[in-house]
């Protein structure tokens, strides 16, 4: 006899049936819903995964290509005024990865102001923009430029003449032990390696403990350039590095400049002497009276033609109609 109340019988109550989970088709067997074999489903899932993987790789390569194609440093419509004197007027300037750019111009052309702007010493007037690897930088300063990898080799070389080479190489960025003490042995060993592999000093008479004042002008420039490259400089600014050097030392310094490009880095080479700049650069900017008078690729203009145009710019401030301007 049923123990349920009488009123429940009139509802025709039935126990609830739950849906059974769909069975996962085994490889080689047909799926009850789609009629596809399990191996075909696995194949399509594999194809979808492969497409996603290729898409990720393509996106990563595209980002890398965009980074490599964008300039290391770019100045757009940069002007700089000191009182009533306008040193730069709407200058557009760019340096690409692995490129050495020469900066030429007469005295007062604006070369120093432009370089100091790239260094972060000067901030451009309102309306000027500075980009690093395609990203606009608003808080431009010396510290910001240096943190991004912009190093400068001055014509005075900025070395401590009475200190040994290894101290000059790591000055301000000394290696330290886990106890936060100077790791002198490691700095000497690393300096010896740099002198041998990058600076070409193979003589036993030249070692890290040599005082800088005993070195020649070209060797001092080599120390300054190697120091900049060692600390992963993306852009090296060379401010008249051959000034006051002999022919032999100038040749040695130009070899060090060429090593910057071999290391995959970029450089700006500022000098009055076109015979020093032309052999090692890829492109040339000519400044005159604070403006970019011309931009040239080295393989598109000969040295004689460039000299003639520099004479013309110095006299008139203009280039001929066939020259490229920016």
């Amino acid at each position: 006899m049923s123990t349920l109340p009488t009123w429940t019988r009139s509802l025709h109550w039935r126990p609830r049936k739950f849906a059974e989970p769909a069975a996962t088709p085994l490889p080689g067997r047909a799926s009850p819903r789609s009629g596809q074999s399990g191996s075909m489903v696995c194949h399509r899932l594999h194809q979808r995964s492969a497409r996603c993987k290729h898409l990720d790789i393509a996106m990563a390569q595209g980002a890398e290509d965009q980074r490599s194609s964008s300039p290391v440093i770019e100045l757009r419509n940069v002007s700089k005024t000191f009182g009533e004197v306008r040193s730069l007027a709407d200058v557009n300037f760019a340096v690409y990865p692995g490129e050495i750019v020469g900066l030429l111009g007469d005295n007062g052309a604006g070369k120093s102001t432009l370089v100091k702007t790239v260094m972060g010493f000067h901030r451009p007037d309102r309306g000027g923009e500075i980009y690093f690897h395609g990203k606009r930088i608003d808080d431009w300063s010396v510290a910001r430029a240096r943190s991004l990898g912009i190093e400068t080799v001055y014509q005075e070389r900025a070395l401590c003449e009475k200190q040994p080479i290894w101290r000059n190489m790591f000055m301000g960025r000394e290696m330290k032990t886990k106890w936060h003490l100077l790791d002198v042995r490691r700095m000497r060993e690393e300096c010896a390696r740099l002198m041998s592999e990058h600076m070409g000093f193979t003589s036993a008479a030249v070692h890290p403990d040599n005082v800088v004042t005993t070195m020649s002008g070209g060797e001092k420039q080599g120390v300054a350039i190697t120091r900049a490259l060692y600390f992963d400089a993306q852009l090296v600014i060379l401010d008249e590095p051959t000034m006051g050097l002999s022919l032999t030392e100038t040749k040695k310094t130009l070899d060090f400049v060429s090593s910057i490009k071999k290391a995959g880095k970029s450089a700006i080479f500022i000098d009055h002497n076109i015979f020093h700049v032309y052999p090692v650069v890829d492109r040339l900017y000519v400044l005159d009276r604070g403006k970019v008078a011309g931009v040239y690729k080295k393989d598109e203009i000969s040295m004689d033609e460039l000299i003639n145009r520099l004479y013309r710019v110095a006299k008139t401030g203009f280039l001929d109609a066939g020259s490229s301007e920016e």
Side-chain angles (χ1 to χ4, degrees):
M1 186 174 180
S2 176
T3 58
L4 294 175
T6 306
W7 61 271
T8 60
R9 299 175 187 174
S10 62
L11 297 178
H12 300 285
W13 178 83
R14 296 288 186 274
R16 183 177 178 181
K17 293 183 179 181
F18 295 94
E20 297 181 357
T24 303
L26 297 176
R29 295 188 179 182
S31 171
R33 291 188 177 182
S34 63
Q36 298 176 348
S37 66
S39 59
M40 184 179 297
V41 173
C42 292
H43 178 66
R44 291 191 175 182
L45 289 174
H46 177 72
Q47 285 183 328
R48 181 180 300 178
S49 176
R51 285 196 300 268
C52 292
K53 184 176 180 180
H54 290 315
L55 180 61
D56 292 340
I57 294 175
M59 291 176 65
Q61 289 178 346
E64 182 66 24
D65 292 342
Q66 182 178 4
R67 177 180 173 86
S68 61
S69 61
S70 62
V72 176
I73 188 75
E74 183 179 10
L75 277 62
R76 299 181 184 176
N77 302 318
V78 167
S79 300
K80 186 62 184 176
T81 306
F82 300 96
E84 297 182 358
V85 178
R86 200 176 193 190
S87 297
L88 296 178
D90 299 323
V91 170
N92 293 310
F93 179 82
V95 181
Y96 288 86
E99 182 183 46
I100 299 180
V101 172
L103 190 58
L104 298 172
D106 209 345
N107 290 329
K111 300 188 304 297
S112 297
T113 304
L114 177 59
V115 168
K116 288 181 179 179
T117 302
V118 175
M119 291 166 48
F121 188 79
H122 294 319
R123 297 194 66 176
D125 294 343
R126 182 175 297 180
E129 298 177 330
I130 297 178
Y131 290 81
F132 188 81
H133 281 299
K135 181 180 179 181
R136 177 176 171 175
I137 308 296
D138 295 322
D139 56 335
W140 195 245
S141 63
V142 175
R144 182 74 165 129
R146 193 171 186 183
S147 68
L148 293 173
I150 298 178
E151 297 283 346
T152 305
V153 177
Y154 300 94
Q155 60 188 26
E156 296 87 2
R157 290 171 285 277
L159 300 176
C160 294
E161 299 281 335
K162 295 184 178 181
Q163 294 294 329
I165 300 174
W166 69 267
R167 281 191 177 274
N168 277 275
M169 190 71 70
F170 295 97
M171 188 168 294
R173 302 171 181 176
E174 290 82 0
M175 295 180 176
K176 297 181 180 180
T177 65
K178 63 180 181 179
W179 307 108
H180 299 285
L181 301 175
L182 295 180
D183 196 338
V184 177
R185 185 184 69 176
R186 190 153 66 100
M187 284 190 284
R188 283 175 173 166
E189 292 175 351
E190 189 66 11
C191 183
R193 184 186 68 81
L194 292 173
M195 292 172 64
S196 175
E197 297 180 4
H198 296 277
M199 299 172 63
F201 296 158
T202 57
S203 174
V206 182
H207 52 81
D209 288 321
N210 280 91
V211 180
V212 170
T213 191
T214 62
M215 304 177 71
S216 66
E219 291 171 341
K220 292 176 184 178
Q221 289 290 24
V223 172
I225 294 173
T226 303
R227 178 176 60 185
L229 293 177
Y230 178 78
F231 289 105
D232 199 23
Q234 298 297 312
L235 175 67
V236 181
I237 301 174
L238 303 165
D239 185 11
E240 300 189 20
T242 59
M243 184 176 180
L245 299 182
S246 65
L247 291 176
T248 304
E249 298 304 325
T250 296
K251 175 65 169 59
K252 188 177 297 184
T253 301
L254 295 180
D255 290 340
F256 284 127
V257 174
S258 300
S259 69
I260 296 175
K261 184 175 181 178
K262 293 178 182 178
K265 309 299 182 181
S266 305
I268 302 175
F269 191 170
I270 307 99
D271 209 307
H272 288 89
N273 195 327
I274 187 176
F275 297 99
H276 295 168
V277 176
Y278 186 86
V280 295
V281 300
D282 300 296
R283 285 191 305 131
L284 294 129
Y285 279 79
V286 178
L287 289 183
D288 183 72
R289 299 169 178 86
K291 297 182 178 180
V292 176
V295 184
Y296 306 98
K297 292 182 179 180
K298 188 178 72 172
D299 55 1
E300 295 177 352
I301 186 170
S302 65
M303 184 179 293
D304 292 337
E305 186 179 0
L306 182 60
I307 292 173
N308 291 331
R309 294 189 180 184
L310 289 174
Y311 280 134
R312 188 179 301 112
V313 168
K315 291 182 178 180
T316 65
F318 299 98
L319 295 170
D320 55 15
S323 63
S324 60
E325 297 185 6
E326 181 171 309

